[in-house]
Amino acid sequence: MQSMRNFITGGAGFIGSHLTRALLERGDEVTVLDDLSTGSADNLAAFKGHPRFRYHVDTFTNVPLMGELVDQADLVYHLAAAVGVRLIVESPVRTIESNVRGTEIVLMLAVKKKKPTFIASTSEVYGKSADVPFREDGDLVLGPSSKGRWSYACSKLIDEFLALAYWKEKRHPTVVARLFNTVGPGQTGRYGMVLPTFVQQALAGKPITVFGDGTQTRCFTHVSDVVRAMVALLRDERAYGGVYNLGNAHEISIRTLAEQVKAMTGSASEIATIPYAQAYEEGFEDMPRRVPDTTRVRSLIGWKPELDLERIIQDVIDDFRKRG
Ligand code: UDP
């Protein structure tokens, strides 16, 4: 197995830090750049002093530094982005600007030396499509620009278009992955993500807050499964120029998720129902169902998720218990 030098933007984030660990365990070198706006130095604490790990607290707008770090790498993972629906609704300018500008800068620099580039996208781009399960070549159905939520999908779509354009026009090797509700140890509930939020609420004996009527569904994927696919895709020339769903096809309603978390923690918490207008903003639109079709990634690299929902929830519970 050839050792590679990896550069990860957003490497102090939840997914970035799991990717860092997986790459170091393979014997690779990892350099992380993160401005710690939503990432956390704690996520990288375990790697400090590791001989194959380097770390810069800075933003991707520091183009000279970014250029240097891209040049020194064999592979580039661009994960730095605004995360979580709550942040998007509350800070739309930051979301749009950082999602679009970061990708522009990374691709502009990576193309010079043809460094294969991974662009993290999201299942959010499918929007309100009812064509479940979602296929990468399916139509994307977004709501109006007056509703802040859709700016996230739109900004990520620009990233996708840009990555595909770099491939088409300049033969720059890019891989785009649409991540479906990625969860696991180390994720914080601070940005509203449902599973860490429910687990923290259940462990604290506080009400478990189900937004809307709880019939909306999601599919949760363990971060270690996602990271495995990310590593394999960027090293596979056949993956270049493609868009890949990365997700687990097991679908669960948010109410059932709340009940399962309550049962698995042995919590006495009540399950509370909160209207969307109160949880996010007036007129907030949610997706009723979100399920990936992962035929494409399975056919190409044989990837399928290994960890089921029970194991995922248990890992998150164990992690919060450990963190106290
Ligand atoms: N959700 C919820 N309670 C919470 C946080 C989220 O019921 O405390 C719901 C949210 O409205 C959505 C689903 O859980 O229907 C997943 O939300 P999350 O923000 O984790 O990810 P999304 O799929 O919206 O990107």
Side-chain angles (χ1 to χ4, degrees), residues 264-281:
M264 287 178 66
T265 49
S267 170
S269 290
E270 60 156 322
I271 296 179
T273 306
I274 317 269
Y276 284 122
Q278 198 179 316
Y280 298 106
E281 64 180 356

PDB file of all heavy atoms in Angstrom, residues 264-281:
ATOM      1  N   MET A 264     -32.814   2.855  24.122  1.00  0.00           N
ATOM      2  CA  MET A 264     -31.428   2.373  24.242  1.00  0.00           C
ATOM      3  C   MET A 264     -30.653   3.072  25.358  1.00  0.00           C
ATOM      4  O   MET A 264     -29.678   2.525  25.872  1.00  0.00           O
ATOM      5  CB  MET A 264     -30.689   2.528  22.895  1.00  0.00           C
ATOM      6  CG  MET A 264     -31.150   1.497  21.864  1.00  0.00           C
ATOM      7  SD  MET A 264     -30.363   1.682  20.247  1.00  0.00           S
ATOM      8  CE  MET A 264     -28.652   1.283  20.627  1.00  0.00           C
ATOM      9  N   THR A 265     -31.073   4.288  25.711  1.00  0.00           N
ATOM     10  CA  THR A 265     -30.401   4.967  26.835  1.00  0.00           C
ATOM     11  C   THR A 265     -31.088   4.636  28.162  1.00  0.00           C
ATOM     12  O   THR A 265     -30.570   4.973  29.228  1.00  0.00           O
ATOM     13  CB  THR A 265     -30.441   6.508  26.659  1.00  0.00           C
ATOM     14  OG1 THR A 265     -31.786   6.888  26.342  1.00  0.00           O
ATOM     15  CG2 THR A 265     -29.499   6.986  25.585  1.00  0.00           C
ATOM     16  N   GLY A 266     -32.278   4.024  28.089  1.00  0.00           N
ATOM     17  CA  GLY A 266     -33.043   3.770  29.310  1.00  0.00           C
ATOM     18  C   GLY A 266     -33.495   5.070  29.944  1.00  0.00           C
ATOM     19  O   GLY A 266     -33.634   5.183  31.172  1.00  0.00           O
ATOM     20  N   SER A 267     -33.757   6.066  29.111  1.00  0.00           N
ATOM     21  CA  SER A 267     -34.067   7.410  29.609  1.00  0.00           C
ATOM     22  C   SER A 267     -35.545   7.553  29.967  1.00  0.00           C
ATOM     23  O   SER A 267     -36.402   6.908  29.376  1.00  0.00           O
ATOM     24  CB  SER A 267     -33.707   8.430  28.524  1.00  0.00           C
ATOM     25  OG  SER A 267     -34.194   9.707  28.849  1.00  0.00           O
ATOM     26  N   ALA A 268     -35.816   8.443  30.931  1.00  0.00           N
ATOM     27  CA  ALA A 268     -37.205   8.733  31.285  1.00  0.00           C
ATOM     28  C   ALA A 268     -37.690   9.990  30.577  1.00  0.00           C
ATOM     29  O   ALA A 268     -38.788  10.484  30.853  1.00  0.00           O
ATOM     30  CB  ALA A 268     -37.308   8.914  32.807  1.00  0.00           C
ATOM     31  N   SER A 269     -36.889  10.518  29.667  1.00  0.00           N
ATOM     32  CA  SER A 269     -37.255  11.765  28.960  1.00  0.00           C
ATOM     33  C   SER A 269     -38.597  11.614  28.254  1.00  0.00           C
ATOM     34  O   SER A 269     -38.901  10.560  27.708  1.00  0.00           O
ATOM     35  CB  SER A 269     -36.220  12.094  27.885  1.00  0.00           C
ATOM     36  OG  SER A 269     -35.009  12.484  28.453  1.00  0.00           O
ATOM     37  N   GLU A 270     -39.351  12.714  28.226  1.00  0.00           N
ATOM     38  CA  GLU A 270     -40.554  12.705  27.381  1.00  0.00           C
ATOM     39  C   GLU A 270     -40.135  13.016  25.946  1.00  0.00           C
ATOM     40  O   GLU A 270     -39.072  13.611  25.720  1.00  0.00           O
ATOM     41  CB  GLU A 270     -41.557  13.767  27.864  1.00  0.00           C
ATOM     42  CG  GLU A 270     -40.992  15.153  27.832  1.00  0.00           C
ATOM     43  CD  GLU A 270     -42.039  16.271  27.728  1.00  0.00           C
ATOM     44  OE1 GLU A 270     -43.035  16.091  27.017  1.00  0.00           O
ATOM     45  OE2 GLU A 270     -41.803  17.314  28.339  1.00  0.00           O
ATOM     46  N   ILE A 271     -40.973  12.592  24.998  1.00  0.00           N
ATOM     47  CA  ILE A 271     -40.713  12.951  23.603  1.00  0.00           C
ATOM     48  C   ILE A 271     -41.633  14.118  23.260  1.00  0.00           C
ATOM     49  O   ILE A 271     -42.856  13.977  23.273  1.00  0.00           O
ATOM     50  CB  ILE A 271     -40.930  11.745  22.675  1.00  0.00           C
ATOM     51  CG1 ILE A 271     -39.897  10.656  23.025  1.00  0.00           C
ATOM     52  CG2 ILE A 271     -40.802  12.161  21.207  1.00  0.00           C
ATOM     53  CD1 ILE A 271     -39.987   9.381  22.229  1.00  0.00           C
ATOM     54  N   ALA A 272     -41.026  15.289  23.020  1.00  0.00           N
ATOM     55  CA  ALA A 272     -41.807  16.510  22.801  1.00  0.00           C
ATOM     56  C   ALA A 272     -41.876  16.812  21.310  1.00  0.00           C
ATOM     57  O   ALA A 272     -40.937  16.536  20.575  1.00  0.00           O
ATOM     58  CB  ALA A 272     -41.154  17.680  23.521  1.00  0.00           C
ATOM     59  N   THR A 273     -43.000  17.373  20.892  1.00  0.00           N
ATOM     60  CA  THR A 273     -43.133  17.751  19.480  1.00  0.00           C
ATOM     61  C   THR A 273     -43.047  19.262  19.369  1.00  0.00           C
ATOM     62  O   THR A 273     -43.782  19.981  20.044  1.00  0.00           O
ATOM     63  CB  THR A 273     -44.499  17.263  18.940  1.00  0.00           C
ATOM     64  OG1 THR A 273     -44.588  15.862  19.206  1.00  0.00           O
ATOM     65  CG2 THR A 273     -44.607  17.479  17.453  1.00  0.00           C
ATOM     66  N   ILE A 274     -42.137  19.745  18.525  1.00  0.00           N
ATOM     67  CA  ILE A 274     -41.907  21.191  18.369  1.00  0.00           C
ATOM     68  C   ILE A 274     -42.221  21.574  16.925  1.00  0.00           C
ATOM     69  O   ILE A 274     -41.676  20.958  16.001  1.00  0.00           O
ATOM     70  CB  ILE A 274     -40.414  21.550  18.622  1.00  0.00           C
ATOM     71  CG1 ILE A 274     -39.860  20.805  19.830  1.00  0.00           C
ATOM     72  CG2 ILE A 274     -40.185  23.054  18.639  1.00  0.00           C
ATOM     73  CD1 ILE A 274     -39.964  21.481  21.139  1.00  0.00           C
ATOM     74  N   PRO A 275     -43.075  22.586  16.721  1.00  0.00           N
ATOM     75  CA  PRO A 275     -43.355  23.005  15.336  1.00  0.00           C
ATOM     76  C   PRO A 275     -42.085  23.530  14.658  1.00  0.00           C
ATOM     77  O   PRO A 275     -41.226  24.120  15.311  1.00  0.00           O
ATOM     78  CB  PRO A 275     -44.376  24.134  15.502  1.00  0.00           C
ATOM     79  CG  PRO A 275     -44.804  24.106  16.928  1.00  0.00           C
ATOM     80  CD  PRO A 275     -43.777  23.393  17.727  1.00  0.00           C
ATOM     81  N   TYR A 276     -42.012  23.299  13.347  1.00  0.00           N
ATOM     82  CA  TYR A 276     -40.829  23.754  12.595  1.00  0.00           C
ATOM     83  C   TYR A 276     -40.589  25.260  12.761  1.00  0.00           C
ATOM     84  O   TYR A 276     -39.446  25.707  12.850  1.00  0.00           O
ATOM     85  CB  TYR A 276     -41.002  23.462  11.100  1.00  0.00           C
ATOM     86  CG  TYR A 276     -40.810  22.012  10.720  1.00  0.00           C
ATOM     87  CD1 TYR A 276     -41.812  21.296  10.084  1.00  0.00           C
ATOM     88  CD2 TYR A 276     -39.600  21.377  10.964  1.00  0.00           C
ATOM     89  CE1 TYR A 276     -41.632  19.969   9.715  1.00  0.00           C
ATOM     90  CE2 TYR A 276     -39.409  20.043  10.599  1.00  0.00           C
ATOM     91  CZ  TYR A 276     -40.429  19.349   9.976  1.00  0.00           C
ATOM     92  OH  TYR A 276     -40.243  18.049   9.604  1.00  0.00           O
ATOM     93  N   ALA A 277     -41.694  26.033  12.767  1.00  0.00           N
ATOM     94  CA  ALA A 277     -41.554  27.500  12.834  1.00  0.00           C
ATOM     95  C   ALA A 277     -40.809  27.892  14.105  1.00  0.00           C
ATOM     96  O   ALA A 277     -40.049  28.855  14.129  1.00  0.00           O
ATOM     97  CB  ALA A 277     -42.924  28.156  12.796  1.00  0.00           C
ATOM     98  N   GLN A 278     -41.032  27.126  15.150  1.00  0.00           N
ATOM     99  CA  GLN A 278     -40.370  27.413  16.428  1.00  0.00           C
ATOM    100  C   GLN A 278     -38.932  26.879  16.414  1.00  0.00           C
ATOM    101  O   GLN A 278     -38.017  27.510  16.931  1.00  0.00           O
ATOM    102  CB  GLN A 278     -41.173  26.726  17.533  1.00  0.00           C
ATOM    103  CG  GLN A 278     -40.902  27.239  18.919  1.00  0.00           C
ATOM    104  CD  GLN A 278     -41.789  26.487  19.924  1.00  0.00           C
ATOM    105  OE1 GLN A 278     -42.991  26.269  19.687  1.00  0.00           O
ATOM    106  NE2 GLN A 278     -41.202  26.070  21.027  1.00  0.00           N
ATOM    107  N   ALA A 279     -38.734  25.735  15.795  1.00  0.00           N
ATOM    108  CA  ALA A 279     -37.403  25.113  15.789  1.00  0.00           C
ATOM    109  C   ALA A 279     -36.438  25.872  14.883  1.00  0.00           C
ATOM    110  O   ALA A 279     -35.262  26.045  15.222  1.00  0.00           O
ATOM    111  CB  ALA A 279     -37.518  23.665  15.322  1.00  0.00           C
ATOM    112  N   TYR A 280     -36.913  26.307  13.734  1.00  0.00           N
ATOM    113  CA  TYR A 280     -36.026  26.979  12.765  1.00  0.00           C
ATOM    114  C   TYR A 280     -36.517  28.396  12.506  1.00  0.00           C
ATOM    115  O   TYR A 280     -36.029  29.342  13.091  1.00  0.00           O
ATOM    116  CB  TYR A 280     -35.964  26.190  11.454  1.00  0.00           C
ATOM    117  CG  TYR A 280     -35.398  24.787  11.610  1.00  0.00           C
ATOM    118  CD1 TYR A 280     -36.232  23.673  11.558  1.00  0.00           C
ATOM    119  CD2 TYR A 280     -34.038  24.580  11.790  1.00  0.00           C
ATOM    120  CE1 TYR A 280     -35.717  22.388  11.683  1.00  0.00           C
ATOM    121  CE2 TYR A 280     -33.513  23.303  11.921  1.00  0.00           C
ATOM    122  CZ  TYR A 280     -34.364  22.211  11.865  1.00  0.00           C
ATOM    123  OH  TYR A 280     -33.856  20.938  11.995  1.00  0.00           O
ATOM    124  N   GLU A 281     -37.461  28.541  11.598  1.00  0.00           N
ATOM    125  CA  GLU A 281     -38.017  29.864  11.287  1.00  0.00           C
ATOM    126  C   GLU A 281     -39.373  29.666  10.627  1.00  0.00           C
ATOM    127  O   GLU A 281     -39.696  28.573  10.157  1.00  0.00           O
ATOM    128  CB  GLU A 281     -37.077  30.654  10.363  1.00  0.00           C
ATOM    129  CG  GLU A 281     -36.891  30.002   8.994  1.00  0.00           C
ATOM    130  CD  GLU A 281     -35.958  30.773   8.060  1.00  0.00           C
ATOM    131  OE1 GLU A 281     -35.493  31.867   8.424  1.00  0.00           O
ATOM    132  OE2 GLU A 281     -35.713  30.262   6.957  1.00  0.00           O
TER     133      GLU A 281
END
